[in-house]
Amino acid sequence: MTTGTAAVIGGGISGLSASVALRRAGWDVSIYERSKFKNEVGAGITVPPNAGLVLRHLGFDFEKARPVANETTRMSRCDAPPGEFYLSETYTRDDGLKNGAVNGNGLWNGNKSLDAERKARESRAFEGFGSCMFHRVDLHRGLRELAEDANGESGKGKTVEMKLGVEVEKIDCEAGILTLAGGQTVKVDLVVIADGAHSALLQDFTGSPPKFHRTGRSIYRWLVSMSDVLADPLTAAHYLPTSPTGFISFSDPKKRILWVSYPCRGGTVLNNAVLHDTQPGEGADSEAQSQWHASASKESVLSRLENFDESRRRIVHMASEDGIKVHHLFKRPALESFVRGRAVVIGDAAHVMLPTHAAGGASAIESAAALEVLFRGVNGSDDELVKDRLRLFDQLRLPRCNLAMLVSNAGGPWTGDSEVEEEVRKFYHGPLPPVGTLPWMKEFREILFHHDAYKTAKQALTGRLWFPN
Ligand SMILES: Cc1cc2nc3c(=O)[nH]c(=O)nc-3n(C[C@H](O)[C@H](O)[C@H](O)COP(=O)(O)OP(=O)(O)OC[C@H]3O[C@@H](n4cnc5c(N)ncnc54)[C@H](O)[C@@H]3O)c2cc1C
């Protein structure tokens, strides 16, 4: 028996996580996804412990998705000898959440066979709730399987109905009515807006068109076969021996370039992302350019990376068949609320952010946990109760999501910039890191990643959480 009906608009990481969570809470969930799920993005994604904890709770099959444990951040200059890092931090056992959420400290020893290494890394990744590095397709597929699974622990509740190739054109948030392309209308008890960074439905939610601000920064991204990297002694020197696994970054401060690389898919694939100043022709002048799918030539990437030595530049030549994509980064002002009437907005539609802290997808996954706790057993026809739970959702999620977004959008080390801090303080009243703290350093990890969204949602429900505003 289900207790209410929910329409989730968008079948990305946010929409899928929320659907699985609501299904587990006893709701009858349908996903409206305009694509047919053909265009998966070929890139990596890091899932920090706060989100890993939720995935585990949802019954996510880590073994199948084969993430690699993220245990370290290491940074070198673009022309430094391999292995010479100006920053190297390995996350310790203290870093995990209290309930056993720790990474193992196993080694990726380059002398072992890839297969043995793969097994060791995978087991570290799903042993605890440590940070995991996924191929996006594997994370997305695992979530979709949880939504559609009919049996077992992961099949709790009613199977989510996937309405693929169905675009939602309009929402009446107060009444919970969707209008689909073609004019058909659907009325539900709860609308979850998860239509991504370019959300067109946000206009129906806020009442005005979303404001996009270009950041002037873009990202090249591409995947490389790890066996190709390891077969070339020049490139292998950066990744062998790799003990432990995590981010390896190369920077060119003169050209404001940061290249972050990390393994995923059981260590068989190396994900590369190069943050750089947007070049002519890379602006979001077309839908494709703003949506991850615009291509960049190896020559143009290499010309940006002219100060990088040959051992690094070769990784550009190794780009897989998909080639290199370029994606322009933009910001939107923080939303004042994530709920309206019978609608809630989550994921990039609610809080698109720069990937500084790998916190965008993770924030959406946390929001799914809150939905599960707050809507468990709620009768969807009880208007007052639904709205009450949405109010609680807002109180819980607005501070954390807007914090993650605003500190991510501030970029680089935390400067304590008074304008940013003032904006953050409109929503969030907890601790901020000391000035100078770099992304992913302990103080940031404690604030952004040491959070149990289930626990806080339960505390909010039982009145044990104090909301300052
Ligand atoms: C370079 C980069 C690196 C990142 N790295 C990380 C990281 O390491 N860790 C992390 O946690 N986050 C990371 N993020 C952020 C993360 O990728 C996003 O937060 C996350 O993918 C957003 O998922 P979403 O489901 O909200 O949106 P999307 O993935 O965009 O999904 C929205 C879906 O809605 C559908 N849709 C849109 N409009 C309609 C409509 N009208 N009707 C029906 N369907 C519709 C679309 O087809 C799409 O499938 C990164 C982001 C970038 C840009």
Side-chain angles (χ1 to χ4, degrees):
M1 249 269 291
T2 53
T3 59
T5 53
V8 176
I9 305 162
I13 291 166
S14 316
L16 284 172
S17 313
S19 303
V20 178
L22 283 168
R23 164 191 182 163
R24 292 173 60 91
W27 282 58
D28 185 347
V29 186
S30 298
I31 292 184
Y32 294 81
E33 167 55 52
R34 71 175 170 198
S35 79
K36 302 225 159 133
F37 279 160
K38 279 185 191 144
N39 291 325
E40 298 290 6
V41 169
I45 181 164
T46 296
V47 170
N50 51 323
L53 176 149
V54 179
L55 290 181
R56 179 166 292 267
H57 177 96
L58 296 178
F60 188 88
D61 190 342
F62 282 75
E63 197 160 351
K64 190 167 174 190
R66 298 166 59 197
V68 176
N70 185 336
E71 300 168 323
T72 184
T73 294
R74 280 171 288 177
M75 301 177 107
S76 69
R77 295 279 180 235
C78 52
D79 53 358
E84 187 181 295
F85 301 112
Y86 64 85
L87 182 148
S88 176
E89 171 149 326
T90 298
Y91 323 137
T92 65
R93 294 179 77 83
D94 302 339
D95 233 4
L97 291 164
K98 291 282 177 283
N99 51 354
V102 290
N103 275 325
N105 61 354
L107 306 178
W108 177 9
N109 177 340
N111 297 324
K112 283 198 209 157
S113 76
L114 256 187
D115 206 44
E117 288 302 338
R118 178 174 67 71
K119 287 209 173 76
R121 285 195 303 279
E122 284 169 20
S123 69
R124 294 205 305 279
F126 52 74
E127 237 166 39
F129 301 133
S131 292
C132 293
M133 302 176 293
F134 285 90
H135 193 299
R136 275 174 187 263
V137 171
D138 302 334
L139 176 62
H140 191 267
R141 187 185 293 132
L143 285 169
R144 187 173 169 186
E145 282 173 6
L146 281 180
E148 294 188 309
D149 185 13
N151 307 302
E153 166 66 13
S154 57
K156 266 193 182 152
K158 188 169 176 260
T159 305
V160 173
E161 193 173 341
M162 291 285 174
K163 296 180 185 290
L164 299 183
V166 181
E167 178 159 11
V168 176
E169 273 189 354
K170 212 165 126 245
I171 311 171
D172 178 337
C173 295
E174 297 298 337
I177 296 175
L178 323 180
T179 306
L180 310 182
Q184 188 194 340
T185 57
V186 182
K187 186 170 175 7
V188 287
D189 298 323
L190 181 67
V191 180
V192 180
I193 305 170
D195 60 340
H198 299 271
S199 173
L201 297 169
L202 211 48
Q203 178 153 5
D204 296 341
F205 180 83
T206 58
S208 51
K211 291 184 192 127
F212 295 100
H213 302 293
R214 292 177 181 218
T215 60
R217 301 284 276 163
S218 292
I219 283 197
Y220 298 122
R221 66 172 169 81
W222 73 100
L223 300 174
V224 172
S225 155
M226 189 57 104
S227 45
D228 288 351
V229 173
L230 299 183
D232 180 332
L234 268 189
T235 52
H238 292 289
Y239 298 93
L240 286 178
T242 307
S243 166
T245 46
F247 296 136
I248 293 192
S249 304
F250 314 126
S251 70
D252 174 359
K254 279 194 199 128
K255 287 204 158 193
R256 298 182 2 107
I257 291 174
L258 179 66
W259 174 347
V260 180
S261 69
Y262 58 82
C264 58
R265 192 168 276 170
T268 59
V269 173
L270 182 72
N271 176 64
N272 295 279
V274 175
L275 184 65
H276 63 282
D277 286 338
T278 301
Q279 297 303 295
E282 286 179 359
D285 295 330
S286 73
E287 174 86 341
Q289 281 177 334
S290 61
Q291 301 265 14
W292 287 84
H293 302 303
S295 294
S297 68
K298 287 182 183 172
E299 293 67 38
S300 60
V301 177
L302 287 166
S303 77
R304 292 308 307 142
L305 300 178
E306 63 185 348
N307 295 334
F308 287 68
D309 72 3
E310 183 58 17
S311 71
R312 293 164 174 94
R313 287 164 60 86
R314 279 193 190 190
I315 298 170
V316 178
H317 289 288
M318 293 173 181
S320 66
E321 274 174 24
D322 274 359
I324 303 177
K325 308 288 184 203
V326 62
H327 172 82
H328 182 83
L329 298 168
F330 64 89
K331 305 180 192 179
R332 276 195 332 243
L335 291 179
E336 302 285 329
S337 170
F338 293 158
V339 305
R340 178 171 171 193
R342 281 182 170 266
V344 54
V345 59
I346 61 165
D348 279 10
H351 43 68
V352 62
M353 61 187 83
L354 266 57
T356 320
H357 292 281
S363 301
I365 295 171
E366 273 190 5
S367 292
L371 286 175
E372 179 177 347
V373 173
L374 298 178
F375 283 89
R376 183 171 296 128
V378 165
N379 178 352
S381 58
D382 185 338
D383 195 53
E384 212 172 298
L385 186 56
V386 169
K387 287 184 178 160
D388 187 57
R389 293 299 162 89
L390 284 175
R391 252 190 311 275
L392 271 183
F393 179 91
D394 221 14
Q395 286 178 310
L396 279 168
R397 302 304 304 147
L398 204 64
R400 269 194 68 75
C401 294
N402 280 349
L403 166 74
M405 182 180 90
L406 293 165
V407 296
S408 294
N409 289 351
W414 174 248
T415 60
D417 179 310
S418 58
E419 257 181 58
V420 179
E421 187 162 348
E422 204 178 303
E423 186 66 5
V424 167
R425 289 302 184 205
K426 283 188 198 162
F427 306 100
Y428 165 85
H429 302 280
L432 285 169
V435 168
T437 306
L438 286 166
W440 275 80
M441 295 301 104
K442 193 170 171 50
E443 293 85 350
F444 260 129
R445 294 199 303 274
E446 271 169 10
I447 294 167
L448 295 176
F449 303 149
H450 294 186
H451 180 81
D452 183 338
Y454 284 106
K455 197 167 138 196
T456 46
K458 282 178 196 155
Q459 286 173 336
L461 255 189
T462 51
R464 280 187 286 130
L465 208 60
W466 177 70
F467 295 109
N469 39 30

